[in-house]
Amino acid sequence: MMTSDLLTDPVPDVAGPGAARRIRRLSERQVVDRAAVDALLDEELVGHLAAVVDGVPIVVPMGFARVGDHVLVHGSTGGGFALRAAAERATVAFAVTALDGLVYARSLFDSSMNYRSAVVYGVLEPVGGAEADAALLALSERLMPGRPAEVRAMVRKEVAATRVLRLKLDDVVMKVRAAGVSEAPDDGEDHSVWAGVVPLSRTWGAPERSALTPVQTPTPESVVALTTPPVADRRLP
């Protein structure tokens, strides 16, 4: 059976306000290097935002971008628990995980996953004014590099319907497993049974033109750049 490392950890153990979080289970896998956190956030495109609303936990997947010391997410002004959490100054959690491979051990109990997982805790802050325009552009450029320059500008109604929120990266806990099978010559297992790691590699597929796009319309540079190696070799969410 797979371990619960990926789904239930990291578990924060906080001694008091402002105290550093630490991982209880398999604490040696905790990573405190900010560069490693940034690398994970810059690689993945989807995270999960969690908050408690009226006593009920809510988790929603969201596209995001890291800009400096903040994670940016966006939502609609028509509603949403994220805007409510921001208005109430409620603490939220934002989790991002990259699955790097499956670890095949000689028993299901010892089988595992290689992964990088980070959880950011904090209070969402609305981004307003000209700063919001820049934040929305940065978010768009992160999700679809080069696309903003190829399409029309947002109209006033669209701008009014969109809000950008940011979460500061000053309370982050990260956990990583990047290893092979746990084995030893005298572990009592049958070593004729195959064991090892199957890495996970994902790439962008061939672009698919929409039904109303004329056949003769050339594929835009942003799409060509995204789907052409070596950029296409990056991991996907």
Side-chain angles (χ1 to χ4, degrees), residues 120-141:
V120 185
Y121 299 90
V123 175
L124 290 167
E125 302 174 351
V127 181
E131 194 176 9
D133 295 337
L136 186 58
L137 178 61
L139 182 59
S140 301
E141 282 286 358

Side-chain angles (χ1 to χ4, degrees), residues 60-72:
V60 175
M62 290 186 172
F64 75 96
R66 182 190 69 87
V67 177
D69 292 330
H70 291 86
V71 164
L72 301 180

Side-chain angles (χ1 to χ4, degrees), residues 125-183:
E125 302 174 351
V127 181
E131 194 176 9
D133 295 337
L136 186 58
L137 178 61
L139 182 59
S140 301
E141 282 286 358
R142 172 67 188 96
L143 298 177
M144 298 180 178
R147 188 58 171 167
E150 299 171 343
V151 296
R152 64 167 175 80
M154 292 177 63
V155 299
R156 182 176 300 179
K157 181 179 180 180
E158 293 169 338
V159 173
T162 306
R163 287 292 180 271
V164 180
L165 302 170
R166 65 185 176 191
L167 186 61
K168 192 169 178 58
L169 294 170
D170 58 3
D171 187 359
V172 185
V173 62
M174 182 174 184
K175 189 174 185 180
V176 172
R177 188 192 195 280
V181 178
S182 298
E183 59 182 356

Side-chain angles (χ1 to χ4, degrees), residues 194-207:
W194 189 92
V197 175
V198 180
L200 175 62
S201 177
R202 295 168 292 171
T203 60
W204 297 106

Side-chain angles (χ1 to χ4, degrees), residues 200-222:
L200 175 62
S201 177
R202 295 168 292 171
T203 60
W204 297 106
E208 300 175 358
R209 174 177 49 84
S210 80
L212 296 182
T213 301
V215 176
Q216 66 272 22
T217 302
T219 303
E221 292 183 5
S222 65

Side-chain angles (χ1 to χ4, degrees), residues 11-184:
V11 178
D13 182 12
V14 184
R21 297 178 187 268
R22 65 179 179 84
I23 293 175
R24 295 175 181 172
R25 187 173 184 277
L26 300 175
S27 59
E28 69 277 7
R29 294 181 183 172
Q30 181 165 3
V31 174
V32 296
D33 180 14
R34 172 58 190 274
V37 173
D38 288 352
L40 172 62
L41 297 179
D42 292 347
E43 179 179 306
E44 297 298 311
L45 301 180
V46 175
H48 288 78
L49 183 66
V52 176
V53 178
D54 295 331
V56 178
I58 298 178
V59 180
V60 175
M62 290 186 172
F64 75 96
R66 182 190 69 87
V67 177
D69 292 330
H70 291 86
V71 164
L72 301 180
V73 298
H74 74 88
S76 169
T77 56
F81 79 101
L83 291 178
R84 178 172 173 181
E88 297 177 351
R89 304 291 295 171
T91 298
V92 302
F94 187 75
V96 178
T97 298
L99 177 61
D100 295 325
L102 296 179
V103 181
Y104 282 68
R106 295 183 177 87
S107 70
L108 295 180
F109 179 83
D110 291 326
S111 296
S112 188
M113 299 176 175
N114 279 343
Y115 61 87
R116 288 159 293 142
S117 179
V119 181
V120 185
Y121 299 90
V123 175
L124 290 167
E125 302 174 351
V127 181
E131 194 176 9
D133 295 337
L136 186 58
L137 178 61
L139 182 59
S140 301
E141 282 286 358
R142 172 67 188 96
L143 298 177
M144 298 180 178
R147 188 58 171 167
E150 299 171 343
V151 296
R152 64 167 175 80
M154 292 177 63
V155 299
R156 182 176 300 179
K157 181 179 180 180
E158 293 169 338
V159 173
T162 306
R163 287 292 180 271
V164 180
L165 302 170
R166 65 185 176 191
L167 186 61
K168 192 169 178 58
L169 294 170
D170 58 3
D171 187 359
V172 185
V173 62
M174 182 174 184
K175 189 174 185 180
V176 172
R177 188 192 195 280
V181 178
S182 298
E183 59 182 356

